[in-house]
Amino acid sequence: MRGVIASALALVAPCLSAPALADERLDLTPRTLVMTAYQPEWNALVHAVSEQKEHSLNGSTYLTGTLEGKPVLLMQSGVSMVNAAMNTQLVIDRFTVKRIVFSGIAGGVDPSLTIGDVIVAEDWGQYLEVNFARKNGRKGWKSPEAVLPEAPGNWNFIFPRGVTVPNAATPSKRFFTFAMDPALLDLARKVAPTIAMERCVPPSEHQLPGSELCLAKPPKVVVGGTGVSAGVYADNAEFREYLYKAWHARVLDMESGAVAQVAYANQVPTIVFRSLSDLAGGDKHKNMEDTYERLASVNSAHVVRAFVAALPD
């Protein structure tokens, strides 16, 4: 009988140890998590990280080290809301994350902004947490649930409904946007006027001499307003106009709203820096991300490096 029990325990033991292993932190040093979504954003920062040490989780590389003298963890979330949420939670669970600083590119929504500008939004919403309404005769659309008075306006049959989230300090409540950390925003306002950014697309090995592509005027850093996110590559002038009017959005992307939600749930101070690579449907002839993604990535990295240097720890 004892032999049977011993054999059973031997089979069960690996299963019992798995949760303990999952809870082990890969690094105990409190660090600023510097997030990027994809390779050009990572490339703009990775060379500036010293004392690099690689960690691997779920097939992705996470890099600990120092940036501007401060302990950081550099990562790529992957493009998309699900990737961003999943991997933000993963690093919070497996590393010691003091705060989150996102560096990336985005589409411009506010018509006063131009390609290359870096936007530091005060809050982030998810514009496709919505109801799809049914046609209501000739009167328009009828939402399947009551529309809250604080909800942004609808776009045809799409009615924003927000998302309900709790954290350890606050019971569940509905959010249309998640606020960024006020102290981090204040620091960004102080740092913004000190930063010189790039105006010309970084040269490539295939570029002919004298063929650089430069913006008409130097980019600027703008702190304030709302950013919005969804799992959509948005390049539609009408929908861009809707987001500006209904959401008062200045910028859109495919990750920041998800990161903001996970950060709220875990009570991690967060700030997002996004440089415009295109105008999300407002570009004159075609979407310009393929032309300006490197320039935008570099400009966001410039601002993030100055911001990290100004952090107290």
Side-chain angles (χ1 to χ4, degrees), residues 24-27 42 53-64 73-74 87 90-91 94-95:
E24 289 182 3
R25 293 191 182 271
L26 297 179
D27 179 80
W42 166 281
K53 180 180 178 181
E54 288 191 2
H55 307 265
S56 182
L57 283 172
N58 291 357
S60 296
T61 297
Y62 300 81
L63 197 67
T64 55
L73 168 64
L74 181 65
N87 290 316
L90 180 66
V91 294
R94 301 303 301 276
F95 293 87

Side-chain angles (χ1 to χ4, degrees), residues 169-253:
T170 308
S172 290
K173 61 178 182 178
R174 191 180 297 268
F175 291 88
F176 290 95
T177 62
F178 293 91
M180 297 292 93
D181 183 74
L184 297 181
L185 288 168
D186 286 344
L187 182 60
R189 291 186 181 96
K190 294 175 183 176
V191 170
T194 70
I195 303 164
M197 292 189 292
E198 306 295 328
R199 193 169 65 86
C200 298
V201 173
S204 70
E205 58 182 337
H206 306 296
Q207 188 170 310
L208 297 174
S211 64
E212 63 267 351
L213 185 63
C214 296
L215 300 170
K217 55 184 179 180
K220 58 188 179 293
V221 183
V222 179
V223 182
T226 295
V228 292
S229 305
V232 175
Y233 189 137
D235 189 40
N236 182 278
E238 291 179 350
F239 199 75
R240 176 182 187 256
E241 183 176 347
Y242 156 73
L243 290 174
Y244 180 62
K245 290 182 177 179
W247 285 83
H248 309 293
R250 309 193 79 176
V251 60
L252 63 77
D253 67 23

Side-chain angles (χ1 to χ4, degrees), residues 38-60:
Y38 77 136
Q39 200 68 42
E41 299 165 353
W42 166 281
N43 291 345
L45 281 165
V46 67
H47 69 280
V49 177
S50 57
E51 304 171 38
Q52 295 185 5
K53 180 180 178 181
E54 288 191 2
H55 307 265
S56 182
L57 283 172
N58 291 357
S60 296

Side-chain angles (χ1 to χ4, degrees), residues 2-152:
R2 287 179 181 177
V4 173
I5 293 173
S7 298
L9 288 173
L11 290 171
V12 171
C15 298
L16 294 175
S17 63
L21 289 174
D23 290 339
E24 289 182 3
R25 293 191 182 271
L26 297 179
D27 179 80
L28 296 178
T29 302
R31 298 181 185 275
T32 296
L33 171 58
V34 179
M35 295 185 70
T36 64
Y38 77 136
Q39 200 68 42
E41 299 165 353
W42 166 281
N43 291 345
L45 281 165
V46 67
H47 69 280
V49 177
S50 57
E51 304 171 38
Q52 295 185 5
K53 180 180 178 181
E54 288 191 2
H55 307 265
S56 182
L57 283 172
N58 291 357
S60 296
T61 297
Y62 300 81
L63 197 67
T64 55
T66 59
L67 177 66
E68 304 297 330
K70 309 296 168 58
V72 299
L73 168 64
L74 181 65
M75 67 173 284
Q76 294 182 65
S77 67
V79 174
S80 93
M81 300 287 278
V82 174
N83 278 335
M86 172 179 68
N87 290 316
T88 301
Q89 188 64 59
L90 180 66
V91 294
I92 289 172
D93 290 342
R94 301 303 301 276
F95 293 87
T96 310
V97 177
K98 182 183 296 184
R99 63 180 68 88
I100 298 172
V101 176
F102 203 114
S103 180
I105 69 172
V109 177
D110 184 339
S112 72
L113 303 175
T114 60
I115 287 174
D117 289 347
V118 175
I119 315 307
V120 192
E122 294 171 313
D123 56 5
W124 282 88
Q126 300 176 40
Y127 65 83
L128 284 187
E129 288 285 352
V130 296
N131 295 316
F132 279 11
R134 64 174 62 194
K135 197 75 174 177
N136 188 25
R138 296 182 179 181
K139 297 179 181 179
W141 306 97
K142 182 175 177 55
S143 172
E145 63 181 2
V147 177
L148 297 178
E150 65 269 30

